[in-house]
Amino acid sequence: MKAEIINPFLESARIVIEQVICISPSTGDLGIKNIEIVKGDIWIQVGMTGQLTGNVVFGLKETVALKIVSAMMGGFVITEMDEMGKSAISELSNMISGNASTILYNQGVNVDITPPKIVSPQDDPLFFSKKALSIPLMMAGIGELDIQVMIS
């Protein structure tokens, strides 16, 4: 896994979050880590096919997801992660991944993305035992969104 592969996702996430949530996120430290199962976390998986294959996983605490969804809905306070909330947070992941695939295409790398899906340990226990290239984005007043890339 090459570290520069995460850059299009990082650039895209900054742009999308600034546009949709009106916050400029800061970047944490890049590292390789295991995807860890933590109660109360939400994981959204977007697959990549083409010249690069694998998955991009967006991980965040449910409390952070609720704040993001609230911001996406114009400040309307969301108190539980219902189907509308799950759809909104999945769409944010879709927008980031779609934007990143356009950046990659402009760099000469042809990729397609799969629709986002919320994954849980019950769905695919082996998925949660993999290593990923990971970088956290910190959003003031909201929390942290981890972008984890498992692409080859």
Side-chain angles (χ1 to χ4, degrees):
M1 225 178 320
K2 296 179 181 174
E4 63 269 7
I5 201 66
I6 205 166
N7 289 334
F9 293 93
L10 190 56
E11 180 182 343
S12 175
R14 282 190 191 130
I15 292 167
V16 169
I17 289 169
E18 284 177 7
Q19 290 174 344
V20 174
I21 306 172
C22 300
I23 288 179
S24 296
S26 60
T27 309
D29 293 330
L30 177 67
I32 294 176
K33 69 180 201 179
N34 290 323
I35 296 178
E36 298 172 4
I37 302 167
V38 178
K39 187 173 170 72
D41 282 5
I42 296 175
W43 298 95
I44 304 106
Q45 172 188 352
V46 178
M48 304 281 303
T49 60
Q51 288 179 275
L52 300 173
T53 59
N55 293 295
V56 178
V57 182
F58 300 88
L60 64 166
K61 299 204 172 303
E62 186 171 332
T63 54
V64 174
L66 289 169
K67 290 177 185 175
I68 290 173
V69 171
S70 293
M72 290 175 75
M73 297 193 176
F76 182 77
V77 177
I78 306 296
T79 57
E80 71 175 86
M81 190 54 73
D82 57 10
E83 290 306 310
M84 179 66 80
K86 290 177 183 176
S87 176
I89 205 71
S90 293
E91 182 54 27
L92 181 71
S93 302
N94 191 48
M95 290 166 41
I96 292 169
S97 300
N99 226 15
S101 68
T102 299
I103 293 167
L104 286 164
Y105 178 80
N106 290 336
Q107 294 174 353
V109 180
N110 193 6
V111 294
D112 287 314
I113 61 170
T114 64
K117 70 177 185 177
I118 294 179
V119 293
S120 69
Q122 296 81 13
D123 298 331
D124 187 359
L126 293 177
F127 176 79
F128 286 91
S129 63
K130 296 181 179 176
K131 290 193 181 297
L133 192 58
S134 178
I135 192 156
L137 288 178
M138 283 76 76
M139 298 166 281
I142 292 183
E144 189 175 299
L145 169 71
D146 282 337
I147 301 173
Q148 303 191 14
V149 177
M150 298 175 288
I151 293 179
S152 53

